[in-house]
């Protein structure tokens, strides 16, 4: 790849051994080059993508893993649209569902490369559990300097 000539590089596509994307909605890039891709369409999952072979993409076996899947994880995702990493090294997902907006915290506590283990997924905010009105149409999330 010549950075001076190649303006666009397809890092991950549906020809890879990983899942076919539906509606990718957010991405987080770690310091080690791993991309965490939130697909908030029909997948409702987070993929971890890393170019292990050094060929400029993550389309080979072993370069794509499911970090979190709302269909099999402890917390169901309905309409996830934002993914950020917090100062505690956990991921936070804003789920903008019209039924039950929530903020979910995901952390790989057992250090096996996903957040599907016991206690890895917790709900920090659930509008349906509150007796007072709270934010209903959450589109983003950030941390202040104190975390």
């Amino acid at each position: 790849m010549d950075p001076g000539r190649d303006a666009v590089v397809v890092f991950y596509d549906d020809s890879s051994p990983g899942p076919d994307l539906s509606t990718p909605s957010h991405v987080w890039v770690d310091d080690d080059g791993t991309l965490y891709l939130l697909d908030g369409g029909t997948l409702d999952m987070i993929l971890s993508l890393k170019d292990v072979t050094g060929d400029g993409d993550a389309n080979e076996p072993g370069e794509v893993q499911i970090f979190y899947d709302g269909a099999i994880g402890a917390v169901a995702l309905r309409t996830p649209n934002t993914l950020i990493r917090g100062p505690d090294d956990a991921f936070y997902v804003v789920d903008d569902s019209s039924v039950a907006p929530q903020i979910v915290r995901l952390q790989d506590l057992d250090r096996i490369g996903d957040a599907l283990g016991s206690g890895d997924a917790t709900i920090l905010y659930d509008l349906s559990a509150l007796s007072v009105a709270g934010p209903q149409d959450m589109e983003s999330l950030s941390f202040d300097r104190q975390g």
Side-chain angles (χ1 to χ4, degrees):
M1 178 173 80
D2 179 358
R5 273 192 10 209
D6 299 329
V8 176
V9 173
V10 176
F11 191 72
Y12 177 79
D13 65 31
D14 290 347
S15 69
S16 78
D20 293 346
L21 301 178
S22 63
T23 308
S25 53
H26 218 208
V27 67
W28 181 268
V29 182
D30 249 355
D31 293 338
D32 69 356
T34 303
L35 278 87
Y36 292 87
L37 176 67
L38 171 64
D39 190 306
T42 57
L43 294 183
D44 293 337
M45 68 173 46
I46 300 167
L47 299 176
S48 106
L49 311 163
K50 185 162 185 169
D51 178 13
V52 177
T53 62
D55 64 354
D57 64 42
N59 287 313
E60 286 75 41
E63 293 185 330
V64 179
Q65 295 181 20
I66 295 173
F67 181 76
Y68 189 76
D69 184 342
I72 61 173
V75 177
L77 299 177
R78 297 169 188 90
T79 314
N81 65 4
T82 300
L83 173 72
I84 67 167
R85 187 153 234 169
D88 60 354
D89 223 21
F91 282 105
Y92 293 81
V93 177
V94 172
D95 191 341
D96 189 24
S97 165
S98 60
V99 177
Q102 61 185 359
I103 298 173
V104 179
R105 180 181 186 271
L106 302 171
Q107 189 168 23
D108 181 10
L109 296 174
D110 53 12
R111 304 238 183 250
I112 62 170
D114 64 41
L116 293 167
S118 178
D120 286 356
T122 54
I123 297 174
L124 294 182
Y125 169 84
D126 180 355
L127 180 63
S128 65
L130 299 177
S131 59
V132 296
Q136 295 186 19
D137 190 18
M138 299 180 293
E139 295 297 325
S140 188
L141 184 66
S142 66
F143 288 92
D144 65 12
R145 291 181 189 188
Q146 288 81 34

